[in-house]
Amino acid sequence: MPRFLRRLTGRFSTSTISPALVNSMQLLTLQLVDDPQLRSHEPQLLSRVLQALAAATANINPATMIEILQAEVLVSFYFFNRDRKLEGGYHATAAVSLAVACDLHKVRGVQGGGSTSPSSGAHYRLPVPADDVEEGERIQGFWVVYCVDRCWTVALKSQSVLSRGDFASQIETPWPIETSNYEQGQYPQALRHRNLPTVKHFLENAASNGWDRSCLALRAQVSTLFERATDLANQWNPGAPGFQTRFLALDNRIEHFKRSLPGLSLTEASSSQDDRPAQTDTEKLRCMLCCHTLVQCATIQLHTPLQQGQDPTNSRTLAAAIAAANLLREVDVRSLSFVDPIMGVLWSTISQVLIQGIVNLRRMRPRQSSSGRSATPGAHLPGEMVVTSALDCVQMTLEALSGTSPLLERELANLRQARFEMHPNV
C-alpha cells in the first residue's frame, strides 16, 4: 500500500497507474459512501471504467498486466454486489484468463510456455519481479482470482478455465503469506522454486506446513473445498467405482479443515494485539467469517444429495446450516461495514436449508402424536426453536447489511417472502 500510494500521488516515481485500476477503485468506493451527490456519478464512472478496461485489454502491456487483473477483480466485485451477476461473471472470467495467460499459477514453479495453460488466448510473459513485494503481489493476485472463480462458478453454475481437465495439478504457486511478510523480507526460503502442485497437495494432505495459514491462504483452501464438494455432489452416483472413496475422503478433508480454523473470537484477540490499524482487524474478521461460512456450506453442498429421504432430525446439512448461522452470534455484523458479495449467496443457501428443516420437523408432529408423545397444537418440536433462532440470525444479519448491497437486499426480500409463505409467524 505505501508503494501504491506513492505512485498514486506521483511522489518518488515517474510511472503512472493504469486508469482502469484507479477508476475501478473509485467505482467500488462509491458503494461504501453514504453521499447521494457522490453516488450520482456512478453511471459515468462505470462507463469510464469499462472504456479503460477495453482499451487496456486491446493493447496489452505486460508491465501493467497485474493492474488490469486487479481492476477486473474490483469490477467483478462491483457487479456482484450490485446483483448484476452475469456482468460480474464476465469480468471474473476475464480476470481468470489474464491470470492464466500470465502464468500466475506457476509463480516460483517451472516456467512453462503457453502450451501449459488451458486458455486458448494469448500468452504473456511478465517482467521479472523487482523484489519480494512485487512477487508477493502476483502470488496474492492469483489466489484472489482463484477464490472469486471457485465460489462464483458454483453460484452461477458456470464452467471455468480452472475446471478444465486436471488444471489443479498445474497450480504450483505457493499459498500466499501476509502482505507484511513480503514487505519485511520474511518470504520462507523453502518456498523458493518449490514445484509441488499446491492445490492437489492440499487436497491429499491434511497436515499444515505452517506457511499456509494467512487469511487469503485459508480463503483459497476453503474455496477449493466448496467447489470440489459441489462438483462431486453434481456427479452423485454412489454405485460408480471409487465414488464412495472420493466422497469419504473429501468429507473427511472438510471436517479436518473445520477443526483447524481459528475461532472468530481468537481471530479478534490475535488481531487486537497487532500494531497495524484497526481496519486490518476488521478485514481479518471479515475474511475468517467467510472461511467459516464457506466450510459449513461445503458440507451442505456435499451432503445435500445424501440427505434425500433421511430423518431430518439427523441431517448433516441442517447441522451445518445451524452452525453457520450461529457464527453470526459471535460477530457484530454492523462493525464489518460490508461483506464479500458471495456471503449473500451463502446466507441464501443456509436459509433455504433452515426453512426446509423447519418444514420437515413440523411434518413429524403427527407421527410424534401417534406414538404417544405430546404434540399440543402450535408447540415446537425438539430442535424447531433452535432452527428458527438460527434463521432469525441470518435474517437479522441481512437486515443489518442490506443497505450496503443490492444483492443482500434481494436475498433479504426472498427470505422474508419464504418465511411468510411457510407461516406468518416463522
Side-chain angles (χ1 to χ4, degrees):
M1 185 60 69
R3 182 180 300 189
F4 177 83
L5 291 176
R6 286 196 297 270
R7 291 182 57 206
L8 188 63
T9 58
R11 292 182 298 167
F12 314 114
S13 175
T14 57
S15 62
T16 58
I17 299 175
S18 166
L21 178 55
V22 176
N23 291 339
S24 63
M25 291 172 62
Q26 294 169 337
L27 178 67
L28 202 59
T29 301
L30 287 183
Q31 303 290 292
L32 310 177
V33 297
D34 187 19
D35 186 327
Q37 185 174 1
L38 283 175
R39 295 288 289 270
S40 67
H41 296 291
E42 188 174 323
Q44 295 90 338
L45 190 52
L46 174 59
S47 177
R48 284 164 52 188
V49 169
L50 297 180
Q51 290 175 11
L53 277 175
T57 53
N59 299 281
I60 292 294
N61 178 2
T64 62
M65 284 290 283
I66 298 300
E67 294 178 2
I68 302 306
L69 181 73
Q70 292 168 335
E72 291 285 12
V73 170
L74 293 181
V75 172
S76 73
F77 269 69
Y78 166 82
F79 280 122
F80 288 138
N81 196 54
R82 298 295 295 171
D83 201 22
R84 296 166 63 172
K85 295 178 182 175
L86 290 180
E87 292 157 291
Y90 172 83
H91 288 279
T93 298
V96 171
S97 298
L98 285 174
V100 172
C102 293
D103 273 348
L104 292 187
H105 60 298
K106 289 185 173 295
V107 175
R108 293 218 177 274
V110 177
Q111 296 299 313
S115 61
T116 66
S117 302
S119 62
S120 57
H123 183 80
Y124 308 102
R125 189 170 296 279
L126 299 180
V128 176
D131 52 25
D132 283 352
V133 175
E134 188 169 312
E135 184 164 52
E137 191 172 38
R138 297 181 185 184
I139 293 171
Q140 292 179 326
F142 171 74
W143 289 113
V144 169
V145 170
Y146 178 89
C147 291
V148 173
D149 178 84
R150 297 293 77 189
C151 291
W152 282 99
T153 52
V154 171
L156 300 176
K157 298 181 173 61
S158 60
Q159 292 296 316
S160 165
V161 167
L162 304 186
S163 300
R164 297 178 189 172
D166 189 24
F167 185 75
S169 65
Q170 298 182 36
I171 298 175
E172 296 171 353
T173 299
W175 298 117
I177 57 179
E178 300 292 352
T179 300
S180 59
N181 296 133
Y182 295 116
E183 293 172 341
Q184 297 166 14
Q186 297 174 348
Y187 199 119
Q189 288 295 322
L191 294 183
R192 298 183 183 277
H193 308 294
R194 175 176 174 266
N195 299 325
L196 285 175
T198 309
V199 172
K200 189 170 184 291
H201 185 262
F202 163 74
L203 289 169
E204 295 174 353
N205 299 272
S208 169
N209 58 21
W211 305 315
D212 54 1
R213 304 297 292 174
S214 70
C215 281
L216 180 54
L218 293 172
R219 173 66 192 276
Q221 291 159 12
V222 72
S223 297
T224 299
L225 297 174
F226 178 66
E227 189 277 334
R228 287 298 175 102
T230 304
D231 183 60
L232 191 59
N234 289 338
Q235 302 175 37
W236 188 258
N237 186 2
F243 183 88
Q244 294 283 3
T245 300
R246 292 165 58 204
F247 178 91
L248 291 174
L250 183 55
D251 191 34
N252 290 335
R253 190 68 186 89
I254 291 171
E255 292 305 312
H256 182 276
F257 190 87
K258 285 181 187 178
R259 295 190 296 271
S260 71
L261 275 177
L264 296 179
S265 58
L266 292 177
T267 301
E268 293 181 286
S270 62
S271 297
S272 64
Q273 300 170 8
D274 202 321
D275 291 332
R276 288 175 288 174
Q279 182 183 4
T280 303
D281 302 348
T282 304
E283 291 169 357
K284 185 175 293 186
L285 182 58
R286 192 184 291 120
C287 176
M288 292 309 301
L289 176 61
C290 188
C291 289
H292 279 273
T293 306
L294 269 169
V295 77
Q296 297 295 346
C297 286
T299 293
I300 291 173
Q301 297 292 92
L302 184 63
H303 283 267
T304 292
L306 187 64
Q307 300 298 152
Q308 303 298 324
Q310 292 199 4
D311 181 355
T313 62
N314 188 30
S315 166
R316 288 281 301 279
T317 57
L318 184 58
I322 292 172
N326 286 341
L327 290 168
L328 302 173
R329 303 180 194 276
E330 303 179 42
V331 180
D332 177 7
V333 293
R334 292 184 186 276
S335 70
L336 298 179
S337 301
F338 63 92
V339 292
D340 187 318
I342 197 63
M343 294 298 289
V345 176
L346 301 180
W347 286 329
S348 175
T349 297
I350 291 162
S351 63
Q352 290 170 21
V353 173
L354 294 173
I355 288 173
Q356 187 59 51
I358 295 172
V359 170
N360 290 340
L361 288 167
R362 288 181 175 179
R363 286 173 181 165
M364 296 177 64
R365 285 176 177 165
R367 282 185 284 169
Q368 288 194 339
S369 179
S370 63
S371 65
R373 295 172 60 184
S374 174
T376 55
H380 285 289
L381 286 168
E384 186 177 333
M385 288 190 67
V386 172
V387 182
T388 302
S389 177
L391 190 59
D392 289 339
C393 282
V394 177
Q395 181 166 333
M396 287 187 290
T397 298
L398 289 172
E399 289 171 345
L401 295 171
S402 60
T404 67
S405 166
L407 172 62
L408 296 184
E409 286 181 2
R410 183 177 63 81
E411 296 301 351
L412 175 60
N414 290 344
L415 174 54
R416 285 171 171 167
Q417 182 63 28
R419 296 189 77 165
F420 177 78
E421 291 175 354
M422 180 171 59
H423 193 289
N425 296 324
V426 173

